[in-house]
Amino acid sequence: MGLITVGDLLSYYPRTWEDLTQITPLQGVRAASGKVTVRARLKSFSGFRTSRRRMFLINGLLEDDTGTLKVVWFNQPYLAQNLKKGAEYYLSGPVKDQDGRPVLTNPGVEPAERTPIHSGRIIPIYPATAGISTRMLRRWLKDSIATIRELPDTLPDEIKKNYRLIDRAHAVENIHFPHSTPAIDAARRRLGFEELLLVHLGLLLAKRQWEELPGSAILSFQGDPFGATFIKDFGSKLGFKLTPTQKTAIKEILGDMAKSIPMNRLLLGDVGSGKTAVAAAALVATVKAGRQSALMAPTEVLATQHYHNLQPLLAKFGIRTTLLTGSTKLHDYSEIENGSIDVVIGTHALIQKQVVFKNLNIVIVDEQHRFGVRQREKLKNKALDITPHYLSLSATPIPRTLFLGLLHNLDISELTAVPAGRLPIITRLVTERNRDTAYKLIEREIADKHAVFVITPLIDEVLDDEQERASIASELRSLKHLFSKARTSSIHGRVAPEEKLKLMAAIKNGGLDILVATSVIEVGIDVPRATIIWIKNADRFGLAQLHQLRGRVGRSGLQSYCLIETALEDETDIERLTSFVKITDGSKLAEIDLGLRGPGAFFGSEQSGLLKLKIANLTDKRLITETRAAAEQILRTDPTLVHHPELKSKLQFDYVTHEE
Ligand code: ADP
Ligand code: MG
């Protein structure tokens, strides 16, 4: 369970609690009492095996000063060896009706000579796993808490007083073995406060470190303070008109780049909103100022696509661009080092050692959630004397409250509108009943020379390459059979990169009608002539992921369709998919995903690490605000946390430790 130290165990918090404080006198136990806790002597008991059903039974009689009660245990032979006749126990369990008489059935039991931990109090219920029961955890936690008399406090007295927080030892004890219901709330508040405070401290320190980095080169737009002339000039070279939100985003980016503090900005925009053009503007502006820029994408296909789209555009500005991926090795890396290349577009091949820049000044990372923090840091470190400006692009919608309250070390530009002239994508759930209609639609679109994507997710996570190929091959066969006139092909993990690129080019240029894939085309792929995406076993995907896939079509003025299919008849699956049919707003889908699957469902490695909160509730706006104020207050008087060693040692965020 990842619990290595006593400290780990202490912060393994209960999932919930059950109040078993109320002790019922035996006289008061009725057949309809439900669950009860009693304290009684075991007057007699006997254990035996039933002949027919080979079940082990213990029958017993309990007694207290008010009366008696029958008790029965099933299949717990070891218990028969441990029970002592005449001893006193706490017992807690359901009362069943046996011919009108109450019988305590399979109760949890523990000797009354010790303070009880499984009953007779508010008991913690832990998330358990196979072989480790909530009872075992309770015992270990009780022992651990008993041994740590002195638990150093992490929070300064002043903060505790200001925000009315109990001390740490108290909180730890009460989160596990609460003395009362209000004590749970106090403990939870205290521990959640600490947790969020640490998040804020991490963010604020990272931000400060970021701002103190050696001043990055200043790009000045002299005589063009808002970059208006630049944007006009840039826009005139595009094949379309920039949307107002694209223009605003470019202005914000130019504004950041004109400062000596390195930019740290996230460009957030739904799939198809045109983030690439905004990124291109940043590339051009940087090169115009005599500096190099780099654009990193998570897959080879995507990097290549960016290169093919951007290279001709950048060439119009006299910019020399190169592509660098795992399969496109450069002949001459010195061209990057001596500055004859201005822009390098590539995959994580960009971070390899041979790549040395002359004067890298901006790093742009597409689909940033696909990369680890380390990979991005490495690319940033390619700028020798300065910290480059950093712009990340993401289509993953994140609930606004999180951004405003927590991720405040980032500046955000948002593309809120998709380019004009787009038709809303029609989404349909395909079932046996309308399958023929779906086929007809596909035939019609192919006849109209449009392209179709078919996504068949891996049925089984453990499928290896060979099995993946087999499953795709069988899908391909059935499609060829169904749509015999169509030119159909497939992409899977084993397809060589050059072959992949060829297939992508074919589907883009009209050399192919149907392309089958697992989910390689999930991110970023831009094929304007694609009008149908047919997603099989759609239940395999999260809503945000489905939304990404849907964004592969509807990228032109053509009416597009997203067909989703599931073999499952599970109601919650159907409900989830039905909401996907109805909702087109990515951030709404994200909220639903958040509710259904928690933050891990759609946050990237950075954010999910950041938001792996054990106890604080991310929707608790008040706590988020309070902890932020407290973090600022602490840093005001102790900017390096030297006087708060406990807090400092607990700060373990990736990027903070990385900087150290
Ligand atoms: P994403 O934000 O998903 O990365 P892209 O940058 O790939 O989206 O843009 C999607 C498509 O829209 C591309 O074909 C691009 O050329 C086009 N596009 C971008 N901006 C505009 C615009 N202002 N008007 C029309 N088309 C645009
Ligand atoms: Mg993109």
Side-chain angles (χ1 to χ4, degrees):
M1 290 164 105
L3 305 178
I4 294 157
T5 65
V6 171
D8 294 338
L9 186 63
L10 291 178
S11 56
Y12 191 73
Y13 300 125
R15 181 165 53 80
T16 182
W17 297 262
E18 193 176 355
D19 191 347
L20 302 181
T21 318
Q22 180 73 40
I23 297 200
T24 313
L26 295 190
Q27 193 186 32
V29 177
R30 298 279 173 270
S33 289
K35 194 169 176 177
V36 298
T37 301
V38 301
R39 181 184 170 149
R41 278 179 307 281
L42 187 58
K43 194 166 179 231
S44 64
F45 74 98
S46 64
F48 57 93
R49 207 165 273 283
T50 59
S51 54
R52 268 193 302 138
R53 291 173 61 202
R54 317 195 76 217
M55 198 199 288
F56 191 87
L57 270 184
I58 303 174
N59 278 327
L61 189 66
L62 299 169
E63 173 190 67
D64 70 3
D65 298 343
T66 69
T68 60
L69 175 67
K70 271 179 81 176
V71 58
V72 60
W73 285 279
F74 301 108
N75 285 331
Q76 300 187 43
Y78 66 93
L79 188 61
Q81 286 155 33
N82 290 319
L83 289 171
K84 279 196 211 88
K85 200 176 140 189
E88 197 171 1
Y89 294 99
Y90 283 98
L91 303 106
S92 168
V95 180
K96 298 259 163 84
D97 181 338
Q98 199 177 71
D99 305 325
R101 293 194 49 202
V103 180
L104 187 58
T105 310
N106 262 341
V109 54
E110 62 187 309
E113 67 206 27
R114 288 197 305 238
T115 320
I117 58 171
H118 305 300
S119 61
R121 57 173 310 134
I122 299 176
I123 61 160
I125 313 284
Y126 295 98
T129 45
I132 297 181
S133 66
T134 198
R135 281 178 85 91
M136 288 155 95
L137 285 160
R138 230 177 259 149
R139 166 57 48 208
W140 296 331
L141 270 153
K142 188 70 191 175
D143 291 348
S144 306
I145 289 169
T147 56
I148 44 138
R149 275 281 110 87
E150 281 174 30
L151 197 59
D153 211 319
T154 26
L155 296 182
D157 288 340
E158 197 184 303
I159 297 285
K160 280 195 287 189
K161 221 169 81 202
N162 279 357
Y163 295 96
R164 297 161 189 254
L165 300 163
I166 59 177
D167 52 67
R168 187 173 163 72
H170 219 99
V172 168
E173 191 184 337
N174 276 281
I175 203 77
H176 293 291
F177 296 98
H179 296 299
S180 67
T181 308
I184 299 179
D185 294 337
R188 205 198 315 230
R189 171 168 162 78
R190 151 68 209 223
L191 296 169
F193 194 98
E194 179 177 320
E195 191 170 39
L196 277 181
L197 178 75
L198 287 166
V199 170
H200 284 298
L201 285 172
L203 290 170
L204 290 168
L205 284 173
K207 183 172 187 186
R208 169 134 357 131
Q209 279 166 346
W210 183 258
E211 287 172 352
E212 280 168 0
L213 293 165
S216 105
I218 300 166
L219 293 179
S220 72
F221 297 89
Q222 276 164 6
D224 182 16
F226 303 107
T229 316
F230 171 83
I231 293 173
K232 206 162 163 210
D233 180 40
F234 174 75
S236 71
K237 302 270 202 317
L238 294 168
F240 45 77
K241 234 175 123 237
L242 289 167
T243 63
T245 56
Q246 278 173 320
K247 280 189 194 163
T248 309
I250 295 175
K251 271 182 208 156
E252 285 165 347
I253 290 166
L254 296 181
D256 283 357
M257 297 202 316
K259 291 182 199 150
S260 58
I261 298 169
M263 165 168 72
N264 187 19
R265 186 171 283 277
L266 173 66
L267 176 60
L268 201 61
D270 213 343
V271 281
S273 59
K275 294 184 287 295
T276 318
V278 175
L283 296 174
V284 173
T286 304
V287 177
K288 279 198 150 189
R291 298 276 175 153
Q292 289 170 304
S293 38
L295 170 62
M296 183 160 75
T299 65
E300 196 150 342
V301 169
L302 197 51
T304 310
Q305 175 187 289
H306 277 320
Y307 176 74
H308 289 313
N309 284 344
L310 291 175
Q311 191 277 332
L313 171 66
L314 298 179
K316 291 184 191 163
F317 297 92
I319 293 174
R320 292 148 302 180
T321 309
T322 193
L323 176 67
L324 181 57
T325 66
S327 56
T328 56
K329 298 275 181 311
L330 293 187
H331 299 295
D332 192 3
Y333 286 94
S334 67
E335 289 195 314
I336 302 177
E337 187 164 6
N338 68 25
S340 37
I341 298 278
D342 305 303
V343 174
V344 188
I345 297 175
T347 57
H348 55 272
L350 282 176
I351 61 184
Q352 59 193 337
K353 277 212 187 67
Q354 299 99 299
V355 184
V356 179
F357 287 88
K358 182 180 177 212
N359 55 13
L360 180 62
N361 200 62
I362 187 168
V363 165
I364 303 181
V365 175
D366 193 13
E367 311 289 347
Q368 60 96 21
H369 58 284
R370 286 295 193 100
F371 290 99
V373 176
R374 296 271 134 78
Q375 285 172 310
R376 287 182 272 147
E377 286 299 318
K378 273 201 177 137
L379 184 53
K380 286 192 226 164
N381 290 340
K382 295 268 175 196
L384 301 175
D385 49 342
I386 54 145
T387 294
H389 294 300
Y390 181 68
L391 176 68
S392 52
L393 316 184
S394 178
T396 306
I398 293 170
R400 191 157 303 273
T401 43
L402 291 192
F403 262 128
L404 299 182
L406 270 178
L407 305 179
H408 44 74
N409 64 332
L410 273 181
D411 293 310
I412 296 166
S413 295
E414 199 173 352
L415 301 183
T416 45
V418 293
R422 298 276 165 86
L423 297 169
I425 299 167
I426 296 175
T427 304
R428 289 284 179 269
L429 190 59
V430 178
T431 61
E432 281 312 320
R433 269 189 296 130
N434 59 12
R435 187 178 298 272
D436 285 340
T437 322
Y439 291 160
K440 287 214 183 78
L441 177 69
I442 292 172
E443 270 167 9
R444 191 191 75 197
E445 288 301 306
I446 292 172
D448 286 349
K449 306 220 171 340
H450 300 152
V452 177
F453 289 126
V454 178
I455 309 296
T456 60
L458 299 180
I459 302 301
D460 194 340
E461 301 268 331
V462 298
L463 275 187
D464 59 20
D465 283 1
E466 200 45 57
Q467 286 165 306
E468 177 189 356
R469 186 155 63 171
S471 107
I472 292 252
S474 93
E475 183 64 45
L476 194 60
R477 267 197 306 279
S478 83
L479 283 168
K480 280 189 170 155
H481 181 72
L482 270 174
F483 308 105
S484 52
K485 288 194 207 108
R487 292 157 303 167
T488 308
S489 195
S490 64
I491 281 192
H492 53 77
R494 282 269 184 95
V495 172
E498 308 90 74
E499 182 61 20
K500 250 185 215 170
L501 296 175
K502 250 192 237 154
L503 287 168
M504 287 317 302
I507 195 86
K508 196 160 181 162
N509 305 333
L512 201 58
D513 303 309
I514 303 181
L515 186 65
V516 187
T518 46
S519 60
V520 252
I521 55 173
E522 180 186 345
V523 285
I525 298 301
D526 187 35
V527 179
R529 64 182 281 273
T531 54
I532 296 187
I533 184 159
W534 180 11
I535 308 168
K536 306 227 165 172
N537 299 305
D539 49 274
R540 298 254 146 197
F541 295 106
L543 292 177
Q545 223 180 343
L546 281 175
H547 188 64
Q548 265 279 354
L549 285 168
R550 176 161 60 187
R552 295 308 117 221
V553 296
R555 299 171 79 88
S556 64
L558 301 170
Q559 177 62 58
S560 293
Y561 306 85
C562 174
L563 307 177
I564 52 175
E565 195 175 335
T566 174
L568 298 186
E569 280 161 21
D570 184 86
E571 238 173 75
T572 48
D573 275 314
I574 301 286
E575 204 173 301
R576 203 166 61 93
L577 293 178
T578 309
S579 61
F580 177 72
V581 169
K582 285 192 218 130
I583 300 171
T584 54
D585 178 344
S587 60
K588 281 215 187 86
L589 289 170
E591 299 277 358
I592 298 176
D593 248 3
L594 180 71
L596 285 176
R597 311 198 301 164
F602 63 97
F603 284 117
S605 55
E606 179 184 41
Q607 290 100 331
S608 68
L610 180 69
L611 299 175
K612 223 175 262 154
L613 299 178
K614 287 181 172 160
I615 194 153
N617 184 347
L618 280 178
T619 55
D620 189 342
K621 283 184 206 160
R622 186 175 140 211
L623 195 64
I624 290 176
T625 324
E626 281 180 344
T627 45
R628 178 170 177 182
E632 279 165 355
Q633 182 189 341
I634 291 170
L635 290 179
R636 218 167 2 235
T637 51
D638 184 14
T640 55
L641 293 182
V642 275
H643 304 300
H644 297 84
E646 267 88 18
L647 281 176
K648 190 168 183 163
S649 74
K650 281 187 161 269
L651 273 177
Q652 28 170 261
F653 289 106
D654 246 353
Y655 40 86
V656 176
T657 42
H658 183 82
E659 300 276 349
E660 276 168 4

